[in-house]
């Protein structure tokens, strides 16, 4: 099946800092999603981004489908950004989403 | 406000008991997924339905787990008998497949299962 790798696995930032999270995938996809799992365990949709660039406030994402990677940018980080960030792509044959192992982000005041 | 609804949110049960988790997908969505999240395995797919038909349940232990969609508004995941190793958070998600394209999937709040 498709492989999804995320880096870095862990990230500690001071409030106000910027960061870039990376997601590599092993096969061509027609969909990519970024999620934030908050400390209460909820999976919150951040971006649905099969290709190109999207922005939502302090967050933006870029997917380069031809090179099989996506980047999530967090600017001016806040303590509420803490949690785990997952990227997910569908497997072969339009299967369900396969998740990466996540990047655990801790933003310190 | 369309959302995926899961019940119960928390469940504590004794080993050997039957557990039923329920999910109401977003109205109009034609795909439903069940995932299990543990510290060791991360988010793993258990079952995948499209138009209420099971397309993939290869990730589900067949001897004790079963997943069904009695109708378009309800998906169920049952464990019988439950074991302590089933303790995890179980997520349901729904989405829409249009032709060959998977559109955005949305997750419920999860059921935290503890088997003692």
């Amino acid at each position: 099946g498709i492989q999804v790798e995320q880096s870095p696995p862990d990230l500690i930032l001071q409030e106000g800092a910027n960061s870039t999270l990376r997601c590599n995938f092993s096969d061509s996809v027609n969909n990519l999603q970024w999620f934030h799992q908050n400390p209460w365990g909820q999976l919150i949709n951040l971006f649905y981004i099969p290709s190109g660039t999207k922005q939502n406030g302090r967050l933006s994402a870029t997917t380069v489908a031809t090179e099989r990677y996506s980047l999530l940018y967090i600017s001016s980080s806040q303590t509420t950004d803490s949690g785990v960030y997952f990227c997910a792509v569908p497997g072969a044959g339009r299967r369900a989403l396969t998740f990466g192992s996540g990047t655990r982000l801790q933003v310190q005041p | 406000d369309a959302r995926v609804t899961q019940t119960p949110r928390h469940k504590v049960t004794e080993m050997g008991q039957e557990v039923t988790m329920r999910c109401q997908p977003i109205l109009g969505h034609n795909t439903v997924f069940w995932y299990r999240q543990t510290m060791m395995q991360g988010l793993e797919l258990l079952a995948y339905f499209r138009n209420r038909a099971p397309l993939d349940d290869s990730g589900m232990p067949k001897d004790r787990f079963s997943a069904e969609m009695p109708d378009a508004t309800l998906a169920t995941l049952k464990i019988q008998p439950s074991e302590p190793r089933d303790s995890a958070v179980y997520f349901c998600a729904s989405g829409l497949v249009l032709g060959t394209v998977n559109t955005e999937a949305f997750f419920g709040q999860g059921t935290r299962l503890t088997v003692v």
Side-chain angles (χ1 to χ4, degrees), chain B residues 7-67:
Chain B
T7 57
R9 292 289 310 281
H10 303 273
K11 176 73 175 178
V12 180
T13 192
E14 292 186 346
M15 183 173 60
Q17 295 298 304
E18 177 178 302
V19 175
T20 299
M21 291 169 270
R22 293 177 173 81
C23 169
Q24 181 177 0
I26 293 173
L27 187 65
H29 281 185
N30 62 0
T31 57
V32 170
F33 320 95
W34 284 103
Y35 287 86
R36 175 171 62 184
Q37 186 176 33
T38 61
M39 289 294 291
M40 296 300 294
Q41 299 296 326
L43 278 155
E44 51 181 347
L45 178 71
L46 295 176
Y48 170 36
F49 290 79
R50 186 181 303 166
N51 297 322
R52 295 176 54 201
L55 287 194
D56 185 353
D57 60 2
S58 58
M60 199 164 64
K62 303 292 192 304
D63 56 337
R64 299 183 299 107
F65 285 61
S66 62

Side-chain angles (χ1 to χ4, degrees), chain A residues 10-81:
Chain A
D10 295 280
L11 190 56
I12 300 175
L13 299 175
Q14 290 298 122
E15 207 168 18
N18 303 328
S19 61
T20 301
L21 282 58
R22 188 177 180 101
C23 172
N24 293 331
F25 42 96
S26 61
D27 204 350
S28 60
V29 297
N30 62 21
N31 172 19
L32 186 143
Q33 290 189 241
W34 282 98
F35 297 89
H36 174 216
Q37 188 166 39
N38 64 21
W40 295 270
Q42 288 182 278
L43 280 164
I44 298 166
N45 288 39
L46 295 178
F47 294 100
Y48 168 78
I49 182 166
S51 63
T53 298
K54 290 187 176 180
Q55 181 152 8
N56 185 2
R58 296 180 295 103
L59 273 61
S60 64
T62 295
T63 296
V64 184
T66 53
E67 297 186 20
R68 301 181 183 172
Y69 73 88
S70 183
L71 302 174
L72 178 69
Y73 306 95
I74 304 174
S75 64
S76 304
S77 57
Q78 300 176 357
T79 55
T80 52
D81 295 331

Side-chain angles (χ1 to χ4, degrees), chain B residues 6 63-64 86-87 93 115:
Chain B
Q6 289 186 247
D63 56 337
R64 299 183 299 107
D86 301 328
S87 297
V115 183

